[in-house]
Structures are given as C-alpha cells and as structure tokens.
C-alpha cells in the first residue's frame, strides 16, 4: 500500500523538485521522532532513497545535515533497501561529495564505499581512524568486479544484489577426511569479531590446522572441501558482514578488517601486518548437506601462530 507521503514524494521526484522533497523527508522524519517511531525505516526511508539516488549531490548530501531541526537529519542507520549514505555514494564521485559531507561517520562510510567502487580518493579523504586503507589491497580486488561490490540501487526504491555463498561452487573440491577437533583457544577478540560478522555465523578458534578447525563445525567426517586463496573468499565475507538493510558494503569491509587486524596478534597492527597475514593464511572451505542459498563455511589457518579459525552458518531465506 502506497502512503500519501510516498505518493507525494514520487510526484516531487518526478518533477525534480528536490528541495521540496528534502523538506518532506525532514517533516516525516521529525514527526516519526515525536511519535517515538523508528525514523530509520518506513516511511522516511523510501523518501530518502529517492533523494539520495536522484537529487543533485548538493541537495542529496543535505539529508545528513542538522540544519533542518532536531531529529530531521538522516544518520548512518537510515535506510530503505540499503543505507541512504550508500545510495548516495553509488551516484557521485568522492571528488564531488567530499566538500558536501560534514558528519564524520557518514564521510567515512561514503569514502570507503567509493574506494570499493574503484574511486581513487588520493589525499582528498581523512585518514581512517582505525587505519583501514582507503585503497583496496590487491587481494581485495582479486576476483571481485567493481559492479558487484555494492548493491545495485534502483531509482524508485529497492536494490539488486546477488548473494555470494562460500563455497561458491563444488568445482575443484573433493572429499576430505577431517581429523579430530583441535584444542580450543577461548576468549580471543578475533574469534568474537569473526562470529559477529553476521548474526547467523558461528566462530571458533583452535590450536591446529584448518581441517582441525573445520572439524568443529562440519557435519560430515569427510565433507566436500578444498583450499583456495583468501582473495576468493573475501567477497562473501564482506557481504555476510553487510547483509542487513541498515548496513552497506563499507560496514562489511570495516568489520572484516577489524577481525583480520585482531587475528594478526600484533600489539599495534597496521595494514602491512594484515597484508602479511592474508598472504600466509591457508583457507579451507567445505559444503554441508543442507546448503541452499546463502551460507558460509570457512576455516582460516595461520601457520605463523599455529592458530586456526572456523566460521560457519547459513542465513534463512
């Protein structure tokens, strides 16, 4: 059912009356705040989507400005089919958006989204507070086309996104006999961060090899499994960490970098330490009998520390 606000919003967008549409967004969002409703969702989300997608950047960026009054500015969690800042980031270059965005959280997420889309930010963006580079590393780019890194948003609302499962295919995999469970290593920050990538994932750390870790979750003693480079599993991990409508691919990338940084075990890790970790990781993926649409089964072995992590789960359709 189309609401009066949405009908009016579509008419304003069709006529290119973007300033009036921005005023409508702020009115609806402010009214939702007064009523105690979640302003991040319906009905301000669809209106915000129209603005973020179609308005000139000088108007669209004002979605996140507080000059409309209390509770009228969009935040990082405002979304329709995806966060409004990500919709905006898919429409304009960082060069055009950088002078227009003030809230630091929004600037950061838009900058990382532009990096995912292949935009070279150069010195026009502030250094990331967690040290995550604003340039994709070679292993982040391997096997992941720019057009599939972020949701494909539609002008009137909604988005297209092909779900990336891991293993993506059984091609190249074979039966692998798993050993007994490795010795559990509890309490590591890296394990918690890996498990927190998605609400449907479980994570565990063991002292041992990738098969030792996989044995903790694999339902079969001899699953269909195989090794592959970390770059091949990276897209599925980022997408799993950004599966909720309020999260964008930049959120997923930052969450995964946070986990990888913790996995290095270094006291003050930086991008070079993460790159070194990725280069030495042995990645094992396996299948489960019930796998259908969106799932992830992965073991990550760090031979330098003798630790291995397993991540496993499936999202409901």
């Amino acid at each position: 059912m189309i609401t009066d606000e949405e009908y009016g919003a579509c008419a304003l967008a069709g006529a290119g009356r973007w300033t009036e549409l921005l005023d409508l967004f702020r009115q609806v969002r402010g009214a939702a705040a007064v009523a105690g409703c979640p302003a991040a969702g319906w009905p301000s989300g669809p209106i915000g989507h129209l603005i973020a997608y179609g308005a000139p950047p000088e108007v669209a960026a004002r979605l996140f400005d507080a000059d409309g009054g209390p509770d009228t500015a969009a935040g990082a969690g405002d979304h329709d089919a995806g966060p409004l800042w990500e919709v905006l980031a898919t429409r304009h270059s960082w060069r055009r958006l950088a002078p227009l965005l003030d809230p630091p959280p929004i600037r950061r997420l838009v900058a990382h989204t532009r990096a995912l889309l292949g935009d070279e930010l150069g010195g026009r963006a502030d250094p990331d507070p967690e040290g995550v580079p604003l340039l994709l590393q070679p292993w982040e780019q391997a096997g992941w086309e720019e057009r599939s890194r972020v949701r494909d948003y539609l002008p009137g609302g909604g988005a297209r996104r092909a779900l990336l499962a891991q293993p993506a295919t059984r091609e190249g995999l074979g039966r692998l006999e798993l050993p007994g469970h490795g010795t559990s290593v509890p309490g590591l920050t890296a394990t918690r961060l890996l498990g927190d990538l998605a609400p449907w994932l479980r994570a565990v750390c063991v002292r041992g090899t990738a098969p030792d870790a996989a044995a903790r979750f694999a339902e079969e003693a001899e699953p269909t499994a195989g090794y592959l480079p970390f770059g091949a599993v990276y897209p599925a991990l980022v997408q799993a960490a950004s599966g909720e409508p309020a999260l964008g691919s930049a959120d997923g990338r930052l969450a995964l970098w946070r986990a990888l940084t913790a996995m290095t075990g270094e006291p003050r890790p930086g991008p070079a330490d993460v790159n070194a970790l990725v280069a030495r990781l042995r990645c094992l993926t396996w299948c489960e009998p019930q796998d259908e649409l969106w799932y992830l089964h992965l073991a990550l072995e760090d031979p330098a520390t003798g630790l291995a992590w397993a991540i496993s789960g499936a999202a409901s359709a």
Side-chain angles (χ1 to χ4, degrees):
M1 178 178 179
I2 299 176
T3 66
D4 291 340
E5 288 88 354
E6 290 176 293
Y7 180 83
C10 291
L12 291 173
R17 295 160 64 180
W18 299 112
T19 301
E20 293 174 63
L21 188 55
L22 176 64
D23 290 339
L24 177 62
F25 171 85
R26 289 172 168 176
Q27 292 169 16
V28 172
R29 201 181 188 288
V34 171
C37 299
W42 183 92
S44 62
I47 301 173
H49 180 105
L50 292 173
I51 300 170
Y53 188 95
E58 292 78 11
V59 176
R62 292 179 60 200
L63 281 167
F64 310 100
D65 289 347
D67 59 0
D71 302 313
T72 61
D78 284 76
H79 65 87
D80 181 29
L84 300 185
W85 53 262
E86 185 173 73
V87 180
L88 176 63
T90 64
R91 303 297 294 158
H92 308 283
S93 69
W94 178 249
R95 184 174 182 176
R96 292 201 68 185
L97 292 173
L100 305 172
L101 295 170
D102 288 328
I106 301 299
R107 285 183 62 86
R108 183 192 189 199
L109 291 166
V110 170
H112 278 282
T113 304
R114 291 308 309 171
L116 280 162
L117 293 171
D119 198 345
E120 295 185 5
L121 278 61
R124 297 188 297 273
D126 300 329
D128 185 80
E130 293 182 273
V132 180
L134 285 165
L135 177 68
L136 295 193
Q137 305 304 289
W139 50 269
E140 294 183 278
Q141 302 179 50
W144 200 15
E145 296 182 0
E146 290 179 11
R147 62 185 180 183
S148 64
R149 295 174 188 166
V150 178
R151 293 180 183 94
D152 180 19
Y153 289 102
L154 306 177
R160 292 185 289 254
R161 192 183 206 188
L163 297 181
L164 303 176
Q166 190 58 239
T169 174
R170 294 187 174 225
E171 183 178 351
L173 306 182
R175 304 299 289 187
L176 176 67
E177 182 177 358
L178 297 178
H181 299 170
T183 303
S184 178
V185 181
L188 295 183
T189 299
T191 309
R192 175 180 59 80
L193 292 174
L194 288 169
D196 287 347
L197 290 178
W200 44 271
L201 284 176
R202 300 174 295 163
V204 68
C205 179
V206 304
R207 191 166 298 282
T209 65
D212 292 326
R216 288 274 175 167
F217 291 144
E219 295 188 8
E220 299 179 310
E222 294 186 19
T224 300
Y227 287 91
L228 67 173
F230 185 80
V233 307
Y234 174 76
L237 286 166
V238 172
Q239 192 178 92
S242 57
E244 301 297 319
L247 300 175
S249 294
D251 290 303
R253 180 178 184 240
L254 291 169
L256 183 53
W257 267 83
R258 206 169 290 126
L260 292 171
T261 298
M263 288 171 65
T264 66
E266 297 293 335
R268 296 180 180 178
D273 299 297
V274 173
N275 287 335
L277 170 72
V278 167
R280 65 179 184 260
L281 281 177
R282 301 191 71 216
C283 306
L284 176 72
T285 186
W286 74 91
C287 301
E288 296 288 9
Q290 72 276 14
D291 288 342
E292 291 184 0
L293 181 62
W294 199 11
Y295 50 86
L296 196 154
H297 311 296
L298 182 66
L300 304 170
E301 174 189 338
D302 182 1
T305 61
L307 298 178
W309 286 264
I311 319 164
S312 183
S316 57

